[in-house]
Amino acid sequence: MIRVHSETIASAPQVRHEIAGVSVGELAKRFGTPLYVYDAAMVRRRCRDLTRSGGGASWDTVRFAQKACSNLAVLDLVRREGVVVDAVSTGEIHRALAAGYAAHAAPEPAGPHTLPPVHPVVYTADIFDRESLDTVARLGIHCNCGSADMIEQLAERVPGAAITLRVNPGFGHGHSQKTNTGGEGSKHGIWHEEIPEVLRRAEWAGIAVTGLHMHIGSGADLGHLAEVAGALERVAREIGRSLTTVSAGGGLPVPYRPGEVHADLGGYVALWHDTRRRLEDAFGHRVRLEIEPGRYLVAEAGYLVAEVRAVKRQGGRKYLLVDAGFNTLARPVLYGSYHPMSLCPAGNDPVVAEPEDVAIGGPLCESGDIFTQEEGGFVATRSMPAARVGDLVVIEVAGAYGFVMASNYNSKPLPAEVLVEDGVARLVRARQTAEDLVRGESV
Ligand code: LLP
């Protein structure tokens, strides 16, 4: 039985003057707004939750799903924590190499009592586009195949390659239907009933299946995630002794709303250890146990700082309009996602007025450009300290699927990103300029 942990997330302070020890006002003045700020210590802490056991079992491999936050400085930070990386595109492979990851594992003598070497970068996708197939073949990147067609395509380019199969176990779960990656409603993975046929295809193509991976969705709860262990074990036994690595996928939830708690990861990893041990007994050799979190490692470390540019009333409702929109953080418009928010008064003035219910939106010419919305686009309000033009709004738990999903809609430049480490703020991605916006275009 999976229980919840005692570590309760503090409800977001309504007024925030600093991020990781650096003044929010100073950050805005120095780097401008809208601005993503990452707290390096929090990224490290979340890496260590998974890489270090603290007395109990831990994962052999933590593989960061970099789609959640792929800034090179963040990749470098997790690499130094011993975390390896997942890549879903040629661009993400390029980022991994630029951040110092090797393309493939150094060959190590294997034996029944040693774990197989870890792949520093794994390409996980349901297709090879032509560019990604060229890239993985040229660099020798290990591939996690979510469609059987990928097997023959890879075999043609890399005869005798070893692969991982991404299997759809027939059920899934996510914080939104759009992030549920299992079951018939999902395009992802190889359908669990197709395994015998897919193994025949792999054998015919001369491809060895050494890995098995299941990822049922993002923002799932641990109860659903725990069901994956049993489903994976059944498929692993069908594949048999060629397997040397199993991956539990990602999907670990993080607390967003006040009162939500961190899940009991100790119980979860223990469950997976038991699964792995049974597979080792069945196969007669060691099996590496991986987990592939994105959100868990970076969500709480990220803040989006925006400036209030207008305060207005539409009938009975009050709106704060800030200089960040769904071009900067898309999660509310896409999923109705809730993010904690706080106010940093201009000049660090004390807040005197009573809190009030406000809707908070951005600058875009589209009604959906609202951060306080629910799924379906319904505008909600949030109780915030009274704000004036020039105050800063800090949107919290924004490190995962924040900057990486930002766009140039309305020809808005992508925001800057800053990493705060040991009290020092450092620009790790420059804000785009007007020239960047038209680069490559011609009349
Ligand atoms: N592994 C695979 C194969 C995935 O597709 C994903 C996420 C992960 C791992 C990491 O999942 P996580 O641990 O972050 O839940 N844009 C959405 C999330 C989309 C997730 C896509 N795949 C959001 O903002 O919530």
Side-chain angles (χ1 to χ4, degrees), residues 51-250:
T51 56
R52 299 191 182 176
S53 61
S58 66
W59 306 87
D60 301 324
T61 307
V62 179
R63 183 173 302 286
F64 179 42
Q66 65 167 294
K67 73 196 84 181
C69 184
S70 56
N71 184 287
L72 292 186
V74 173
L75 295 184
D76 175 61
L77 189 61
V78 303
R79 186 181 56 75
R80 285 187 279 122
E81 288 298 314
V83 168
V84 292
V85 80
D86 173 60
V88 298
S89 63
T90 308
E92 287 194 353
I93 293 172
H94 180 68
R95 284 183 174 278
L97 302 186
Y101 286 98
H104 47 75
E108 280 171 38
H113 305 299
T114 51
L115 282 172
V118 61
H119 304 293
V121 182
V122 170
Y123 173 81
T124 299
D126 295 285
I127 65 160
F128 287 120
D129 53 40
R130 293 184 187 280
E131 190 189 19
S132 60
L133 185 55
D134 283 346
T135 306
V136 299
R138 181 167 50 83
L139 297 172
I141 303 271
H142 183 82
C143 296
N144 178 6
C145 302
S147 301
D149 287 320
M150 295 172 76
I151 296 173
E152 287 89 5
Q153 292 166 8
L154 185 67
E156 213 171 278
R157 301 292 297 274
V158 189
I163 59 165
T164 293
L165 294 183
R166 174 177 180 177
V167 172
N168 178 335
F171 62 88
H173 191 247
H175 67 77
S176 150
Q177 195 43 43
K178 293 172 189 159
T179 67
N180 178 336
T181 57
E184 283 187 12
S186 167
K187 65 176 179 170
H188 293 292
I190 292 168
W191 189 248
H192 60 111
E193 288 166 330
E194 309 257 301
I195 295 303
E197 170 60 15
V198 170
L199 292 177
R200 269 194 293 279
R201 282 174 72 169
E203 194 176 358
W204 189 250
I207 293 287
V209 177
T210 57
L212 174 60
H213 168 275
M214 283 185 186
H215 171 77
I216 61 158
S218 189
D221 63 49
L222 277 198
H224 286 91
L225 288 176
E227 288 174 29
V228 177
L232 182 135
E233 185 174 340
R234 281 191 291 282
V235 175
R237 288 175 187 276
E238 277 188 77
I239 297 174
R241 292 197 73 242
S242 65
L243 276 186
T244 56
T245 302
V246 294
S247 171

Side-chain angles (χ1 to χ4, degrees), residues 330-387:
R331 300 193 71 254
V333 73
L334 282 175
Y335 320 111
S337 298
Y338 180 101
H339 285 267
M341 293 189 215
S342 47
L343 190 79
C344 176
N348 280 341
D349 293 347
V351 177
V352 281
E354 284 293 301
E356 52 188 0
D357 290 339
V358 289
I360 301 176
L364 302 179
C365 297
E366 187 160 330
S367 302
D369 187 25
I370 292 288
F371 290 115
T372 50
Q373 66 179 285
E374 287 160 7
E375 198 156 11
F378 300 101
V379 176
T381 56
R382 187 78 61 88
S383 171
M384 292 284 285

